[in-house]
């Protein structure tokens, strides 16, 4: 990738400095980090006159001594850097990386601090050959009892504390009311005075566990990390997990000269800034794939959410060859790049034992002739060869028993490389790897191994049971992650009182600010069965969505997803061809993003550009609202355009009564025009403007 680096100020080498207090400011001067190296290393952050965090302790406990306690700084190094790097699989074509940096060099380790215009970060770096990290302490002490958006973990796999899918709704409560000892995943947002937000997150995680957060004293958050797993057993959901049964008294075994993950606090004046923040990209490892030309983002026809329901066909729909040929034909007719064959195509214990009802070789050839790629589902434990031979032959799925072909070597356990080489040769384009459901050191290390192996064999990856942690920049063949309360939850959502238990539209306009901050999310949108709050109910075999039809359509622009699903049935989409035609035209990566108006938990209005075309979208929670789309805020992309054509989908006048109601219009707009739009409860609005 092309990198343009301008080093504005770089001190030549290390210089001696004995001071115990240091100050680091952002390039624009608004953000200030105060660092003190007394008995305990602390940092504090101030932004534009507002205290973000008070002095907060940070140190690591290792078998070679404690990093950050009783520090003796031998040397310091400062730099001010401005650089940019290309991001072809992202919400913008390139990212600017501008910061000031301070490195504190001690005996055996360093601490690196960075001040950005929109946040602060630090990490430890080891100079040792190896060491064991028994614990890492990171505190975030806030000044007041501020409201926070907290994603607690729940539904632990096999009852194990650290085994979880990273799918959480947000509890909105003061810091003092946080549930004691309940783990929360990151990013976690804290509402500061004067409309500012502070978002705590980790980034650039490699060979180390991810960071959870716990309630600290008073108004503090403190980090927590999964201990290293010493023993695991097959279990969890439908025996698809590797659940730790014994964990060590340490969190990581570090390698020579290990660089540890970043601890970051993103700070913004406006909520909308979070929708266009690049902190995770900046702090991630650089791309490790020399040739990325084979990586093809796109949209996917998906079978699982709609339960392979097809109507008007002359065969019985289900997990069989005829059904997937129909999916392939649908993808071809509608300009989609891929289909996914989800759970059931292979034995739950071996990716080399295939269902008797699916001729996978024939499907690959059928898809190839039509220019469609096939992506296959797998559990993580299955992908890495952790099998249970007593369960290798049969599986029941959706009340149907599936039988599998038995090859001569059916008892063999294949390596990761053997599996990927086999399916690359067959013509498969990638894997959706599911049920990681952990981010301890073992899983993080394995994710990098899976990504590297997949890249070697030119295979895409969609990782489920994980949230992004920086690996997607190092290996951009990872084109999506789950770790989100997506559309699948509507299949089993219970009712409480006069509506659904969970407020999905509010989540839909909260997750993009937080869950989407570290990277893309496989929400799997596109429901064509839509319900108002009072009409919604969960139905596994014939699911519906909360909110309007256009709320779902707007997700294709708002939700970042280089690999984006169409979750509903092909025959449902064909009955709604007007909506399907619009969805199929929306790209999955963009050249530019502009946030027009947004408030976390309330609404989003943004625009993304691909080439000379702008894609605009808005969503709201259950509160109806009126917004203004100011086209003058969209940067010019060349040419003298006095007017342009816009295709607009808006909530219909009766969408508050029937959530499927919408109105399509084709209008002429001018670059400086302002459009007044109305969003129904749980509503949306979306447009394509060709400048």
């Amino acid at each position: 990738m092309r990198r343009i680096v301008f080093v504005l100020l770089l001190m030549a080498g290390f210089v001696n400095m004995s001071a115990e207090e240091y100050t680091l400011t952002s390039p624009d001067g608004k953000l200030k980090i105060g660092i003190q190296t007394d008995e305990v290393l602390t940092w504090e952050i101030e932004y534009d006159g507002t205290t973000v965090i008070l002095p907060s302790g940070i140190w690591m406990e290792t078998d070679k001594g404690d990093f950050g306690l009783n520090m003796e700084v031998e040397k310091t190094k400062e730099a001010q850097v401005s650089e940019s790097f290309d991001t072809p699989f992202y919400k913008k074509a390139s990212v600017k990386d501008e910061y000031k940096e301070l490195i504190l060099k001690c005996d055996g380790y360093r601490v690196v601090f960075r001040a950005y215009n929109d946040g602060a970060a630090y990490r430890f770096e080891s100079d040792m050959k190896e060491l064991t990290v028994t614990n890492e302490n990171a505190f975030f002490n806030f000044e007041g009892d501020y409201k926070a958006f907290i994603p607690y973990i729940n539904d632990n796999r096999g009852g194990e504390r650290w085994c979880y899918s990273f799918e959480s709704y947000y509890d909105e409560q003061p810091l003092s009311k946080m549930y004691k000892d309940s783990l929360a995943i990151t990013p976690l947002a804290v509402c500061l005075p004067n409309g500012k937000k502070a978002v705590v997150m980790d980034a650039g995680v490699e060979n180390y566990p991810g960071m959870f957060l716990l309630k600290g004293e008073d108004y503090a958050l403190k980090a927590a990390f999964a201990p290293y797993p010493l023993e695991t057993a097959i279990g969890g959901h439908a025996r698809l997990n590797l659940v730790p049964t014994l964990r060590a008294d340490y969190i990581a075994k570090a390698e020579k000269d290990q660089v540890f993950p970043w601890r970051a606090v993103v700070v913004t004046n406006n909520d909308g800034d979070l929708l266009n923040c690049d902190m995770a990209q900046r702090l991630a490892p650089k791309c490790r794939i020399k040739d990325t030309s084979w990586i093809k983002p796109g949209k996917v026809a998906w079978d699982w959410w709609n339960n392979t329901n097809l109507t008007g066909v002359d065969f019985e729909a289900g997990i069989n060859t005829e059904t997937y040929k129909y999916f392939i034909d649908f993808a071809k007719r509608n300009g989609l790049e891929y289909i996914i064959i989800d759970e059931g195509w292979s034995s739950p214990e071996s990716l080399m034992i295939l269902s008797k009802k699916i001729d996978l070789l024939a499907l690959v050839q059928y898809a190839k002739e039509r220019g469609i790629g096939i992506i296959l589902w797998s559990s993580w434990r299955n992908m890495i060869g952790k099998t249970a031979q007593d369960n290798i032959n049969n599986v029941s799925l959706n009340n149907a028993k599936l039988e599998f072909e038995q090859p001569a070597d059916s008892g063999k356990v294949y390596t990761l490389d053997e599996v990927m080489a086999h399916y690359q040769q067959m013509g498969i384009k990638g894997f959706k790897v599911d049920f990681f459901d952990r981010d301890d050191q073992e899983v993080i290390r394995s994710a990098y191994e899976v990504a590297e192996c997949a890249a070697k064999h030119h295979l895409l990856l969609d990782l489920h049971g994980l949230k992004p942690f920086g690996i997607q920049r190092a290996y951009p063949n990872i084109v999506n992650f789950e770790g989100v309360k997506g559309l699948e939850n509507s299949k089993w959502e219970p009712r409480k009182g006069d509506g659904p238990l969970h407020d999905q539209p509010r989540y839909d306009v909260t997750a993009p600010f937080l869950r989407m901050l570290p990277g893309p999310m496989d929400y799997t949108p596109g429901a064509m069965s839509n319900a108002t709050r009072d009409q919604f109910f969960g139905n596994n075999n014939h699911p519906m969505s909360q909110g309007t039809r256009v709320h779902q359509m707007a997700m294709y622009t708002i939700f970042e997803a280089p690999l984006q699903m169409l979750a509903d049935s092909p025959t449902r989409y064909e009955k709604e061809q007007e909506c399907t035609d619009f969805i199929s035209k929306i790209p999955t990566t963009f050249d530019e993003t502009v946030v027009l108006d947004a408030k976390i938990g309330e609404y989003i209005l943004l625009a993304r550009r691909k080439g000379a075309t702008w894609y605009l979208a808005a969503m709201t929670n259950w509160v109806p609202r009126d917004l203004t789309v100011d086209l003058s805020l969209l940067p010019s992309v060349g040419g003298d355009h006095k007017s342009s054509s816009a295709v607009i989908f808006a909530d219909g006048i009766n969408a508050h009564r029937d959530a499927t109601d919408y109105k399509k219009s084709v209008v002429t707009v001018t670059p400086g025009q302002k459009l007044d739009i109305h969003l129904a409860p749980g509503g949306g609005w979306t447009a394509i403007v060709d400048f």
Side-chain angles (χ1 to χ4, degrees), residues 157 160 162-167 229 232-233 235-237 240-244 247 377-384 416 420 431-451 461-467 469 471 478 480-483:
R157 304 303 191 192
E160 209 271 340
W162 306 95
C163 198
Y164 180 57
S165 66
F166 303 93
E167 302 174 20
T232 59
H237 176 74
L240 291 168
N241 293 107
L242 283 178
V243 180
R247 289 190 180 269
W377 178 93
S378 169
S379 68
W380 168 63
R381 75 166 178 87
N382 199 341
M383 177 63 72
I384 63 173
L416 173 65
M420 290 195 169
F431 281 95
K432 171 183 170 183
V433 186
D434 205 347
F435 291 95
F436 283 85
D437 293 350
R438 290 159 42 200
D439 71 346
D440 49 45
Q441 185 184 27
E442 180 184 59
V443 169
I444 296 296
R445 184 187 294 127
S446 176
Y448 276 88
E449 291 170 352
V450 171
L461 291 174
D462 178 10
L463 305 184
H464 278 218
L466 277 178
K467 60 182 177 65
F469 49 89
I471 189 175
I478 301 176
N480 216 341
F481 296 79
E482 195 185 30

Side-chain angles (χ1 to χ4, degrees), residues 18 200 364 373 402 465-466 605 621 648:
S18 58
V200 179
V364 170
L402 303 177
L466 277 178
L605 172 60
N621 55 19
I648 298 173

Side-chain angles (χ1 to χ4, degrees), residues 145-167:
D145 193 12
Y146 303 135
K147 173 184 172 181
F149 287 78
I150 306 168
Y152 292 108
I153 74 167
N154 52 68
D155 189 26
N156 301 74
R157 304 303 191 192
E160 209 271 340
R161 177 171 173 79
W162 306 95
C163 198
Y164 180 57
S165 66
F166 303 93
E167 302 174 20

Side-chain angles (χ1 to χ4, degrees), residues 393-413:
N393 295 326
N394 298 298
V395 63
S396 294
L397 187 67
N398 294 328
N399 301 317
K401 188 174 183 179
L402 303 177
E403 296 182 352
F404 299 94
E405 300 286 352
Q406 294 296 307
D409 61 351
S410 62
K412 177 181 177 180
V413 177

Side-chain angles (χ1 to χ4, degrees), residues 345-357:
W345 67 273
S346 73
S347 162
E349 300 301 334
S350 175
L351 296 178
M352 308 299 277
I353 300 178
L354 306 184
S355 168
K356 292 180 179 180
K357 295 185 178 182

Side-chain angles (χ1 to χ4, degrees), residues 278 508 615:
D278 303 314
D508 296 343
Y615 302 84

Side-chain angles (χ1 to χ4, degrees), residues 15 29 36 59 71 138 211 272 327 341-343 397 400 434 439 465 492 517 571 578 633 643 662-663 674 684 686:
V15 297
Q36 190 169 40
W59 73 98
M71 285 181 66
M211 182 175 72
F327 272 75
I341 302 179
D342 213 287
E343 182 184 13
L397 187 67
D434 205 347
D439 71 346
W492 48 74
L517 188 59
T571 52
E578 191 172 58
L633 298 177
S643 63
Y662 71 89
K663 180 180 179 180
K674 294 183 179 181
T686 186

